[in-house]
Amino acid sequence: MNAILRAMLFALDPETSHQLSILALKSGLLKVRPQSDTPHLRSKVAGLDFPNPLGIAAGYDKNAEVPHQLIRLGFGFAEIGSVTPLPQPGNPRPRIFRLQSDHAVINRLGFNNEGHAVCLKRLEAGHDPRHIVGVNIGANKQSTDRIADYEAGIDVFAHVASYFTVNISSPNTPGLRDLQTREHLAELLSRVKERRDRKATDTGRAVPIFLKIAPDLGERDLDDVAEEIETRRIEGLIVSNTTLDRTGLQDKAHASEPGGLSGRPLFEKSTAVLAKMRRRCGPDLAMIGVGGVDSIETALEKIRAGADLVQLYTGFVYGGPALPARIVLGLKRHAEKEGLSNLSELRDSAVAKWADRPLA
């Protein structure tokens, strides 16, 4: 994104800028020549063949409007949502705040989305079997049985989702993070896994399930999550969602706004939790690292800390549409420079460095 275009977008409120970027992708105005497929970056994770390890995280394309356009920018995969059974407006505006000096964003959107039916129609209409598109499922704010909302998401999207993300870590739906506690997590994962397995008999494939956790969990909480993932045999883990922590922020004008913080200030905390979970869960669990990825080096460091794949969103806000292709090219060149047959050979090389860090 050139400086003039970025200045114009940043002069608008964040939600208006976001809507304009979606429209630009739909119209084909945002055109970047992505790198061609390369064996240095291909990987099989959770049974899926990824052309490269860089994905766009949930939250950008909440309503499944542009997943394939995003992949054409250079992303190896896209994740839509979070999507809930019923449409909901989310929290009152303003609810997104840029912290430009921190290269960060605070949001308290509250799972605003158009609901299952609308997103399903778009995914069916635009289905491209060459593209990996995950579906991030959530629960309605007023739901009386939130776990049933996740089961409904499995039912609705099982035939079109490349993978599911069970999002229980958004800080903007009251009580949602309580599902990360041991007792609730056991029931959630059991019911979701059972529903997925039942749908597999209809679709002929068992869609991988990833659990997305918060970066604000303590060591004991991480133990519980790891044990439940192993017990329920869930395929993957995404670390992490946004944080409630405000440590070290420079932008004092917005630092006190309620909501989840994303972007550069989240990198160290989320990477430490990623490595701690890799140490707990072992080498076989599929893991996606998210939080503060906005460059070639931050993407590489997530992989060194234990990630099979990485995702970004806030980095895309600040880096613009050329960023994914630039990172993917950088990853390819790094693999070639280091004489790696595949970038995945770097995985876990810095787990000890990050996992030994204390949680604040």
Side-chain angles (χ1 to χ4, degrees):
M1 181 189 303
N2 63 49
I4 296 175
L5 177 58
R6 173 174 159 171
M8 291 173 60
L9 286 174
F10 275 41
L12 303 171
D13 73 89
E15 285 205 58
T16 300
S17 296
H18 176 261
Q19 290 161 358
L20 287 174
S21 72
I22 294 284
L23 287 173
L25 280 166
K26 282 183 175 180
S27 70
L29 289 175
L30 296 182
K31 292 182 179 179
V32 177
R33 185 186 298 275
Q35 294 302 306
S36 59
D37 190 18
T38 170
H40 291 94
L41 301 183
R42 292 184 209 134
S43 61
K44 183 178 282 291
V45 179
L48 301 172
D49 293 313
F50 290 83
N52 72 65
L54 183 68
I56 181 76
Y60 179 79
D61 189 11
K62 283 179 171 289
N63 295 305
E65 295 178 87
V66 289
H68 304 291
Q69 291 90 331
L70 286 163
I71 289 171
R72 294 183 191 111
L73 290 181
F75 288 109
F77 63 107
E79 185 174 312
I80 69 100
S82 295
V83 57
T84 56
L86 300 176
Q88 59 183 25
N91 295 320
R93 297 189 186 195
R95 53 193 181 178
I96 306 178
F97 305 89
R98 300 188 194 98
L99 287 69
Q100 294 190 44
S101 56
D102 298 293
H103 270 239
V105 167
I106 291 174
N107 92 81
R108 51 172 179 266
L109 288 163
F111 278 0
N112 58 309
N113 73 102
E114 296 178 345
H116 283 180
V118 170
C119 290
L120 175 63
K121 185 176 180 180
R122 291 191 181 124
L123 288 174
E124 288 178 331
H127 182 66
D128 185 335
R130 299 170 299 175
H131 291 169
I132 295 176
V133 178
V135 177
N136 185 304
I137 52 177
N140 281 115
K141 182 177 180 179
Q142 304 300 330
S143 176
T144 57
D145 185 349
R146 285 181 171 169
I147 295 178
D149 284 7
Y150 291 97
E151 292 176 306
I154 300 288
D155 281 340
V156 169
F157 296 105
H159 64 295
V160 292
S162 300
Y163 67 87
F164 284 114
T165 295
V166 176
N167 185 3
I168 57 172
S169 48
S170 169
N172 300 316
T173 297
L176 187 73
R177 285 190 171 191
D178 293 344
L179 290 173
Q180 295 175 118
T181 61
R182 184 72 181 268
E183 179 182 358
H184 292 116
L185 186 59
E187 182 183 2
L188 170 71
L189 295 182
S190 293
R191 286 172 58 178
V192 166
K193 176 82 177 300
E194 180 182 355
R195 188 60 59 93
R196 188 279 307 273
D197 292 345
R198 192 185 311 166
K199 289 298 293 184
T201 62
D202 299 330
T203 62
R205 65 188 186 101
V207 181
I209 295 171
F210 285 76
L211 177 70
K212 188 167 186 175
I213 63 172
D216 303 320
L217 300 174
E219 298 279 4
R220 186 64 177 271
D221 301 318
L222 298 181
D223 289 339
D224 289 346
V225 171
E227 289 172 19
E228 286 303 324
I229 285 175
E230 181 179 6
T231 299
R232 312 301 161 187
R233 297 186 179 278
I234 298 302
E235 287 79 14
L237 181 67
I238 301 180
V239 184
S240 70
N241 213 314
T242 57
T243 182
L244 297 174
D245 190 1
R246 300 293 189 264
T247 303
L249 293 180
Q250 299 177 49
D251 188 323
K252 304 305 180 185
H254 298 305
S256 62
E257 291 287 349
L261 174 75
S262 60
R264 283 185 186 172
L266 181 56
F267 179 77
E268 292 199 5
K269 172 179 269 196
S270 62
T271 306
V273 174
L274 168 71
K276 289 173 185 291
M277 291 305 292
R278 174 57 76 193
R279 178 178 280 175
R280 283 167 168 82
C281 296
D284 297 332
L285 185 73
M287 293 181 64
I288 302 177
V290 198
V293 176
D294 60 4
S295 65
I296 298 161
E297 185 52 43
T298 49
L300 287 169
E301 197 62 16
K302 289 286 187 186
I303 294 169
R304 296 183 187 113
D308 298 289
L309 308 165
V310 297
Q311 289 178 322
L312 59 80
Y313 175 7
T314 301
F316 191 51
V317 171
Y318 286 96
L323 182 64
R326 187 163 65 245
I327 290 177
V328 170
L329 176 60
L331 298 179
K332 175 179 178 254
R333 287 176 172 169
H334 183 83
E336 292 171 341
K337 178 183 175 183
E338 297 299 316
L340 306 175
S341 60
N342 191 276
L343 192 69
S344 62
E345 293 170 33
L346 288 179
R347 206 200 77 180
D348 300 347
S349 58
V351 166
K353 164 189 167 183
W354 286 100
D356 289 342
R357 295 192 179 200
L359 294 174

